[in-house]
Amino acid sequence: MDVSLVLIIVMAVLFGCGVYAMLERSLTRVLIGFLLLGNAVNLLLLIVMGRPGRAPFYGTDGDVSDPLPQALTLTAIVITFAVSAFLLALIYRSWQLGKADTVEDDETDIALRERTEIEEDLMDDEVDLEDEDATTDFVGVATSPIRVLHAKDLDGLVDDAPVDRPDPRPASVDDSGGARPTETDDDRNPGEEPR
C-alpha cells in the first residue's frame, strides 16, 4: 500500500489543531475546531482507502477503489455539515442574548471547582449499602410498571401461543385409540358446549 507521508502529516496537524481549538471557551473556535476535525477524518478515510483505482462500478475489471471509505467520507461530510449548522445557530443565539460567543462559568461550575478533596471523598462515600444489589428503580415498590396478563385475567384474552414445554394437562383416550388432551373449562370459548 502506497500512502503519501504528506497526507499523514496534514491529517495529524488538522487533528491537533482541531482538538486544541475545541478546548477553547469561544463557540466560534469550537466550530472551527470541529470543522478541522471533520476534514482530518475525511483525510484519514482517504488514507485508509489505499491505492486509488478505477471507479467501483459493477462489472469493472482490474484494480478498483474500495467503495466503503468513499461512502463513509460522504457520510462524514453530511454529518459535519449538519453539526456545523447547529453550532452556527447556537453561536448566533448566544450572540443575540449576550453579545458574546463565549461560554461563561455558572454557579455549578464555580462550586465544582472550589470543592476540596475531603468533600469529594465524602460524596463518594454516600452510598447506601441496601441499594447496591438493586438493579431497577422499582425494587420494593408495591406497584410495578409492567403487569403480566394471563388468559384468566381478561375474558377477551386468548392465550394460544405455542410453547416449548410439554402440555401439563392429562391426556384422555379418544375413540380411535389415540390419546388426545382433555379440554378444561379454560380452553373453551364462552358459549361453547363441552365435547
Side-chain angles (χ1 to χ4, degrees):
M1 187 164 98
D2 187 21
V3 177
S4 174
L5 184 63
V6 175
L7 281 179
I8 295 174
I9 292 172
V10 169
M11 180 197 65
V13 169
L14 284 176
F15 267 119
C17 293
V19 169
Y20 179 75
M22 285 187 75
L23 294 176
E24 297 291 327
R25 288 208 175 254
S26 171
L27 291 176
T28 305
R29 291 185 182 177
V30 170
L31 174 65
I32 292 171
F34 182 76
L35 291 174
L36 289 175
L37 280 178
N39 288 327
V41 168
N42 292 338
L43 274 178
L44 173 69
L45 291 172
L46 182 69
I47 291 169
V48 168
M49 188 170 57
R51 181 177 295 130
R54 295 183 186 166
F57 293 121
Y58 179 74
T60 304
D61 294 332
D63 292 336
V64 294
S65 296
D66 188 9
L68 182 63
Q70 296 175 21
L72 292 175
T73 303
L74 286 174
T75 306
I77 290 170
V78 171
I79 291 172
T80 303
F81 176 74
V83 175
S84 300
F86 178 69
L87 282 173
L88 279 172
L90 284 179
I91 292 168
Y92 179 70
R93 186 66 179 156
S94 174
W95 184 261
Q96 275 186 333
L97 294 177
K99 298 297 180 207
D101 69 339
T102 58
V103 178
E104 300 295 331
D105 286 337
D106 59 354
E107 296 84 18
T108 309
D109 291 333
I110 295 170
L112 189 65
R113 191 179 309 126
E114 293 174 352
R115 217 169 42 185
T116 62
E117 289 183 20
I118 298 170
E119 291 174 342
E120 287 184 16
D121 290 339
L122 286 176
M123 290 181 71
D124 290 340
D125 292 339
E126 291 179 2
V127 177
D128 295 335
L129 297 177
E130 300 170 0
D131 294 337
E132 281 185 1
D133 296 333
T135 57
T136 65
D137 295 335
F138 300 101
V139 173
V141 179
T143 60
S144 64
I146 299 173
R147 178 175 176 222
V148 179
L149 296 176
H150 299 285
K152 297 177 185 176
D153 293 342
L154 296 173
D155 295 333
L157 186 65
V158 178
D159 189 13
D160 58 351
V163 293
D164 292 337
R165 297 178 304 245
D167 194 8
R169 298 176 289 189
S172 65
V173 179
D174 60 0
D175 296 335
S176 64
R180 73 174 172 85
T182 57
E183 189 175 66
T184 61
D185 292 336
D186 294 335
D187 293 337
R188 274 180 268 149
N189 291 331
E192 182 182 356
E193 295 295 323
R195 296 184 218 171

